[in-house]
Amino acid sequence: MNAPGALIERGRVTGAGGAATGPGQTRPGPARSGVPTLLTQVVLGLICAGYATGAALGWGSERLALVMGDFGLSAAALAAAVSCFLYARVHESRFRPAWLLFAFSSGMAAAGNAVWGWYEVVLRQDVPSPSLADVFFLLFAPPAIVGLLVLAKKPVTRAGWVCLALDAWLIGGSLLTLSWSLALAHTAHFEGESVARAALTLAYPLLDIVLVSMVLALHFRRSQLNRSAINTAIAALALTVLCDALFTSPLLRENYTSGQLLDAGWFAGSLLLAYAPWGASRTAPVTGSAAARAARHHSRPIAGSLAALTPYLAAAVCTLGILYNVVEGRRVDRVVVLTGCTVVLALVVRQGIMLLDNIALTHELAQQENHFRSLVQGSSDVIMIAAPTGILRYVSPAASGVYGREAEDLIGEELASLIHPEDLGGVVHEVRRFLATPPSEEPTTRIECRFRSGRGDWLNVESTVNRHQGGLIFNSRDVTERVRLQAQLQHNAEHDPLTDLPNRALFTRRVRKALAGRRASDPGTAVLFIDLDGFKGVNDRLGHQAGDELLIQAARRLQDSVRAGDTAARLGGDEFAALILGDGSRDRVARECQVHEIADRLRLTLSQPYRVEGGNEVRVAASIGVAFAEPGISAGELLRNADLAMYRAKAAGKDRVEMYAPQMQAEVARRTELATRLRTALDDGEFALLHQPVVDLTTGRITAVHAQARWRSAQGILFTPAEFLRVADDGERIAELGRWLLEHAVEQAAERAALGHRTPVSVRLPARRLLDRSLPLGSVEALLTRHGLPSGSLMIELADNDPRVSFDDLEQRLVALRRLGVRIALDGFGSGYAAINALRRLPVDVLKLDRGLVEGVVESARLRKITSGLLRIASDLGLQSVADGVDVPEQVLALRAMGCTHGQGMAFSGPLDEYRLRRALVRDAYPLPGGAAVPVGERLPASPDPLK
């Protein structure tokens, strides 16, 4: 036996808990109150047995026998009437009228026995015939007959009603024929009796015959609802009718006295009817259980056979009645002949109806079978039936289109041979669980696995599984495309659409897995955060298409550079990451060196030239941050540490690798706090404006002042622009600071001009800010007009050479500013590649030498030559020159000898507040080297980089 066959057989003999069960059995359902029901049955049995014993022994006295035979039966019938009535009042169902009719019928029996006892016990005289008791007894049968009709399952067609009537007549007619032949004919011809007495004598057996006919005819038509209660009620009525039949016998009736053993049958019938609605309904089996269904399944053939034999049994009884008269040598009675003919006629009619009904059913069954065959053969799903041994017994024709194999080839194969070996264990487990579950709780289950096709590949198949005669039915469909689509959707959700590398979500999940798995204690696991320096410039110059091509090539280089077990990912934009799994080494220093070498090699790989759209060759650099896993660190913390190290690499000059250190977190916290305070510093008035004089190197006079901002925080710390602008990553806040600097510089210059100090003021602004909407042309003109600053009194120093800035737009803006009388200075001249191009295209009035050239001009002959050449260019173009960072007298002498016209630095004065600046302007000159170097105003402590 193969695996599926074994599991099917095991599911049939073993329940979920391991207990053995037979075919068709399931685990027991909720327990019912069986003990009280059994106790009630025992008590009723003892009462009936006691009554029968007393009746058999004569009750000890004649009077007690009369009391128990009359009023005892009346009490029992009254108990049945009250029980059925109360049950009908309490329970709402379609059988309520039947129990009310049974209550009325039992009430009539109780009244009849009470009248009988009144004559025999109270009046001590014989019961007259006919009497009021006979009226009550005759009223017992009709309500019971109607109640049986209510309990019966109603026919749904006219033919059904006709068959019901014919069945009743077949039974009743046959019983009438037999009873008439045996006793009723003698009773009907009894001479000397009145007509009323003769009719009463015949009424009892005729009503009993009708009642027995209904009991037998409806026994096979009873409803499935509360069958136990209905069976008990039918048994009670049958017992009562049996006792009535015995009572109508002339021999027994002539010798009958109350309290005899026959009364025990009536007594038991009444108590059984009283018990039927209550006790029997509580012991009814669970109709949804497998045991109940199995019992009904086995009982239906027997019940159907008896129902089919009923007409023939009735005809046989009728024939016996006629044969009895022939054997006894009696003349055949006309009643017997007439009744027998009607029974035969009813039998013929009934058989004709059944024949027509069978023909119709056969035709309908053939149509349904053809319809089912058409559905199965035309369905795109494959329907397979597996035997308990796991062998396929039926496969629908759709298998050729789905599996690529003909259905005939699959029939007889083992189910296990079609299932992928990796999926077979899961299928076995699911089928075993399904078979151990009661069908009422889980009629079907769904299984998805891979099936072997005739083309040699594996198909993803989804099957709905049902039970079928100990085996299984599989309704299977090919879901390979759906599985592929789901896998593609899952891949798209976890990978970057441009580079096809894992995205941030998948990368984080893999980092979390690496930290939680067997490598959790491996300190060699590291995360690399990578940022491409200069990528935005490629996008701005060549377009986003070129930028996308560069990212794709960079992703390919990154993927090729990591090992098979490592993970390369794109986090977004030009940011990438790599997860380097540890090798189990405990030498942390060696592992850090190894990962640093990997990161540096990756940096060099990513920095190689890229060939993008149009054949353009571009270069970008890579700033890489590395962080190692620590014991107890989470995935989020490890990624954050690598990110901090990457930003440290960018701040340290880019194109480098930085290892994470704990102090980076403290620095970030400090910068974050500083940036938070900076956002409110302007509103709180914590910024101050200082000015540093620009001195003519020939005369020593002050020709201009350079405006600088200082931030004096609430803690009293004085921050230079190099310190607070480095943390001010908020572009809007930097723009606001630039507007504040320009407005206050113009305002104070106007105030000084009003006092007679017409010294120009220079304000350092980034070139990109001049093109922002935050500083429109009209705002500068309005500012100059509002404060009345004379023309030529404002000079703007271009602070940087951002490659993203368009020279055309910048040139137009500078030309417009010069029309307003604003002078333009090119700051940091000699420090950037774009300086010569800016000098060629932009309208510049002043060249300001970079501090880096001035600091080494005395010691380095090379710098002297470079600086001398730059100053010669300025002289040839007719531009003024200003040397920034002139801090010692030797620099003054060297620069003046080279032809530099102006200087700014600590050799003359540091940044001054407004009071000290006005004192310096009054003096208007600084001593030059070669004489006494006495400053005009007090000098403030020098900043490391006061212009940044």
Side-chain angles (χ1 to χ4, degrees):
M1 182 179 293
N2 56 34
L7 67 92
I8 293 175
E9 289 298 321
R10 179 175 179 179
R12 296 176 60 207
V13 301
T14 307
T21 58
Q25 294 181 347
T26 59
R27 294 171 291 177
R32 294 181 176 267
S33 55
V35 175
T37 301
L38 181 61
L39 181 61
T40 304
Q41 293 174 352
V42 171
V43 171
L44 288 177
L46 292 176
I47 293 175
C48 293
Y51 190 96
T53 303
L57 298 178
W59 294 104
S61 67
E62 182 179 356
R63 185 164 184 80
L64 180 59
L66 293 176
V67 171
M68 295 303 297
D70 295 332
F71 291 112
L73 291 181
S74 179
L78 182 61
V82 172
S83 174
C84 293
F85 178 77
L86 291 178
Y87 183 82
R89 287 287 304 274
V90 173
H91 295 80
E92 292 286 344
S93 68
R94 69 181 186 89
F95 297 143
R96 181 179 181 183
W99 296 110
L100 289 176
L101 289 170
F102 290 154
F104 180 77
S105 178
S106 298
M108 293 298 99
N113 284 299
V115 172
W116 199 285
W118 174 263
Y119 282 105
E120 287 189 338
V121 177
V122 179
L123 300 181
R124 296 186 178 183
Q125 64 181 25
D126 294 335
V127 180
S129 180
S131 66
L132 185 61
D134 294 319
V135 176
F136 287 127
F137 285 143
L138 290 175
L139 290 176
F140 167 81
I145 294 172
V146 178
L148 289 173
L149 288 173
V150 174
L151 289 179
K153 184 168 60 175
K154 303 296 186 299
V156 295
T157 62
R158 294 180 182 178
W161 284 105
V162 173
C163 288
L164 176 62
L166 291 175
D167 289 343
W169 172 244
L170 285 172
I171 298 173
S174 61
L175 293 178
L176 177 61
T177 301
L178 183 61
S179 59
W180 189 275
S181 300
L182 296 176
L184 295 183
H186 175 73
T187 302
H189 294 89
F190 189 79
E191 297 180 359
E193 288 190 353
S194 63
V195 177
R197 182 175 177 79
L200 182 63
T201 303
L202 291 175
Y204 281 111
L206 291 178
L207 286 175
D208 287 339
I209 289 173
V210 175
L211 188 56
V212 170
S213 301
M214 295 307 301
V215 168
L216 293 177
L218 297 177
H219 173 70
F220 305 109
R221 295 176 177 268
R222 60 188 182 276
S223 174
Q224 300 298 328
L225 299 176
N226 207 358
R227 294 184 61 189
S228 182
I230 296 175
N231 289 339
T232 306
I234 292 176
L237 294 176
L239 182 59
T240 303
V241 170
L242 178 62
C243 294
D244 288 345
L246 294 174
F247 177 74
T248 56
S249 175
L251 180 62
L252 184 59
R253 184 169 184 179
E254 291 175 358
N255 299 323
Y256 171 78
T257 58
S258 297
Q260 290 182 349
L261 192 60
L262 184 61
D263 291 348
W266 282 318
F267 185 83
S270 296
L271 290 186
L272 193 60
L273 184 60
Y275 168 77
W278 302 95
S281 64
R282 289 165 56 191
T283 59
V286 182
T287 59
S289 67
R293 284 195 298 272
R296 290 200 301 271
H297 177 74
H298 291 293
S299 65
R300 282 173 184 169
I302 300 175
S305 300
L306 292 177
L309 291 176
T310 299
Y312 302 101
L313 293 175
V317 171
C318 184
T319 304
L320 288 175
I322 298 176
L323 290 177
Y324 176 79
N325 284 319
V326 174
V327 171
E328 291 292 327
R330 300 179 183 176
R331 183 176 59 87
V332 179
D333 194 279
R334 286 178 296 179
V335 175
V336 174
V337 175
L338 180 61
T339 305
C341 291
T342 56
V343 169
V344 174
L345 180 62
L347 178 61
V348 173
V349 173
R350 188 186 186 283
Q351 291 303 105
I353 294 176
M354 294 302 297
L355 180 60
L356 294 177
D357 195 19
N358 287 337
I359 293 174
L361 288 176
T362 303
H363 181 66
E364 182 180 357
L365 180 62
Q367 287 183 337
Q368 291 180 353
E369 185 176 354
N370 292 333
H371 180 63
F372 173 74
R373 184 179 294 107
S374 300
L375 288 178
V376 171
Q377 294 180 352
S379 174
S380 59
D381 294 350
V382 180
I383 300 175
M384 301 183 297
I385 299 179
T389 57
I391 301 299
L392 294 177
R393 297 187 308 185
Y394 172 80
V395 179
S396 66
S400 60
V402 176
Y403 297 151
R405 299 179 63 183
E406 295 298 330
E408 293 78 6
D409 298 338
L410 292 174
I411 296 176
E413 286 200 18
E414 295 181 353
L415 184 61
S417 64
L418 298 177
I419 302 175
H420 195 283
E422 296 179 0
D423 300 339
L424 184 58
V427 173
V428 170
H429 174 76
E430 175 60 23
V431 173
R432 183 176 298 165
R433 183 202 62 78
F434 170 65
L435 292 177
T437 304
S440 58
E441 297 181 8
E442 189 174 5
T444 63
T445 188
R446 193 177 297 272
I447 294 176
E448 187 169 333
C449 60
R450 285 169 288 179
F451 268 39
R452 180 167 51 85
S453 71
R455 296 176 292 272
D457 57 344
W458 295 96
L459 302 176
N460 293 92
V461 175
E462 182 184 67
S463 302
T464 302
V465 185
N466 298 78
R467 300 171 178 85
H468 175 69
Q469 298 179 358
L472 296 172
I473 295 180
F474 292 83
N475 190 348
S476 307
R477 63 201 61 87
D478 183 9
V479 294
T480 304
E481 289 302 323
R482 190 194 71 185
V483 172
R484 290 175 181 171
L485 179 60
Q486 289 177 344
Q488 184 63 42
L489 292 176
Q490 181 71 19
H491 180 85
N492 294 341
E494 296 179 340
H495 290 75
D496 175 58
L498 178 64
T499 62
D500 202 39
L501 290 180
N503 58 15
R504 183 182 294 271
L506 180 58
F507 183 76
T508 304
R509 188 157 58 248
R510 290 187 179 178
V511 172
R512 189 180 296 113
K513 181 179 178 181
L515 296 179
R518 61 183 178 86
R519 301 178 182 272
S521 58
D522 190 348
T525 299
V527 170
L528 279 59
F529 253 61
I530 307 161
D531 184 85
L532 300 182
D533 304 320
F535 170 74
K536 195 174 187 313
V538 175
N539 261 350
D540 294 339
R541 293 194 310 272
L542 303 178
H544 291 280
Q545 181 66 30
D548 291 345
E549 291 184 12
L550 189 151
L551 291 176
I552 294 174
Q553 296 180 36
R556 189 179 301 116
R557 294 181 186 182
L558 177 61
Q559 184 67 49
D560 295 339
S561 300
V562 298
R563 300 172 301 180
D566 298 335
T567 300
R570 182 191 179 204
L571 306 183
D574 59 344
E575 290 187 348
F576 295 84
L579 171 63
I580 308 298
L581 298 178
D583 56 3
S585 173
R586 294 293 174 180
D587 190 346
R588 184 179 182 87
V589 176
R591 179 58 178 167
E592 288 183 357
C593 293
Q594 180 184 5
V595 173
H596 191 281
E597 290 178 1
I598 294 174
D600 197 57
R601 188 166 57 250
L602 180 60
R603 179 188 64 82
L604 294 175
T605 301
L606 295 175
S607 300
Q608 295 297 319
Y610 294 87
R611 183 75 62 178
V612 296
E613 184 182 16
N616 295 312
E617 185 178 283
V618 295
R619 290 177 178 268
V620 293
S623 297
I624 302 179
V626 182
F628 285 90
E630 300 288 344
I633 194 172
S634 66
E637 292 172 342
L638 182 59
L639 296 176
R640 181 203 61 195
N641 293 346
D643 197 15
L644 291 176
M646 184 268 291
Y647 277 106
R648 169 59 68 89
K650 293 180 73 68
K654 303 179 181 180
D655 193 18
R656 56 187 296 132
V657 177
E658 284 286 342
M659 310 292 288
Y660 170 77
Q663 59 268 23
M664 292 183 182
Q665 184 63 29
E667 181 182 349
V668 169
R670 174 182 172 275
R671 292 179 59 187
T672 302
E673 180 183 3
L674 193 61
T676 302
R677 295 208 311 264
L678 179 61
R679 293 188 181 97
T680 60
L682 282 176
D683 300 331
D684 296 342
E686 296 180 3
F687 274 90
L689 187 63
L690 302 181
H691 294 82
Q692 188 173 26
V694 177
V695 178
D696 189 323
L697 297 183
T698 304
T699 63
R701 298 188 59 186
I702 301 175
T703 59
V705 292
H706 178 67
Q708 302 176 11
R710 291 292 186 273
W711 175 26
R712 190 179 300 276
S713 67
Q715 291 76 18
I717 303 175
L718 189 66
F719 294 100
T720 64
E723 294 173 310
F724 63 74
L725 290 181
R726 188 163 46 243
V727 301
D729 55 354
D730 187 350
E732 182 178 353
R733 183 61 57 181
I734 295 176
E736 184 179 353
L737 178 62
R739 291 193 296 269
W740 178 89
L741 177 62
L742 179 62
E743 183 172 351
H744 281 71
V746 172
E747 180 181 2
Q748 292 188 14
E751 292 177 356
R752 291 192 298 271
L755 296 176
H757 304 296
R758 297 180 176 273
T759 306
V761 60
S762 64
V763 180
R764 191 171 186 267
L765 291 177
R768 63 181 179 275
R769 290 296 170 194
L770 290 176
L771 300 178
D772 284 350
R773 295 181 179 180
S774 60
L775 191 64
L777 286 174
S779 63
V780 177
E781 182 178 14
L783 185 64
L784 297 176
T785 303
R786 182 170 66 249
H787 295 288
L789 191 65
S791 177
S793 298
L794 175 62
M795 182 168 59
I796 293 180
E797 300 178 2
L798 297 181
D800 56 18
N801 296 311
D802 194 335
R804 294 171 296 179
V805 175
S806 170
F807 274 102
D808 294 334
D809 297 338
L810 183 60
E811 181 180 5
Q812 295 178 7
R813 186 62 186 275
L814 295 180
V815 170
L817 289 175
R818 291 190 71 186
R819 292 196 189 103
L820 300 176
V822 178
R823 302 179 68 196
I824 307 300
L826 188 60
D827 189 18
F829 187 74
S831 63
Y833 295 107
I836 300 300
N837 192 29
L839 186 62
R840 179 176 63 86
R841 298 190 56 182
L842 301 181
V844 177
D845 300 299
V846 178
L847 291 182
K848 196 167 185 180
L849 296 181
D850 184 68
R851 171 181 289 272
L853 295 176
V854 176
E855 287 178 348
V857 73
V858 177
E859 296 83 3
S860 173
R862 184 181 183 87
L863 282 181
R864 283 198 299 271
K865 292 180 179 180
I866 294 174
T867 305
S868 177
L870 294 176
L871 291 174
R872 192 177 305 111
I873 291 174
S875 177
D876 293 342
L877 294 177
L879 303 178
Q880 292 184 354
S881 56
V882 177
D884 186 17
V886 182
D887 296 330
V888 294
E890 291 80 4
Q891 294 172 345
V892 176
L893 295 174
L895 291 169
R896 185 169 57 188
M898 296 178 190
C900 183
T901 60
H902 297 79
Q904 170 187 337
M906 296 303 297
F908 309 107
S909 173
L912 305 175
D913 57 19
E914 186 65 22
Y915 173 74
R916 292 182 177 86
L917 175 61
R918 292 184 180 181
R919 288 179 55 188
L921 293 176
V922 171
R923 299 285 296 271
D924 195 28
Y926 285 96
L928 296 174
V934 180
V936 176
E938 295 186 27
R939 301 175 183 175
L940 295 179
S943 65
D945 192 1
L947 296 179
K948 296 184 179 179

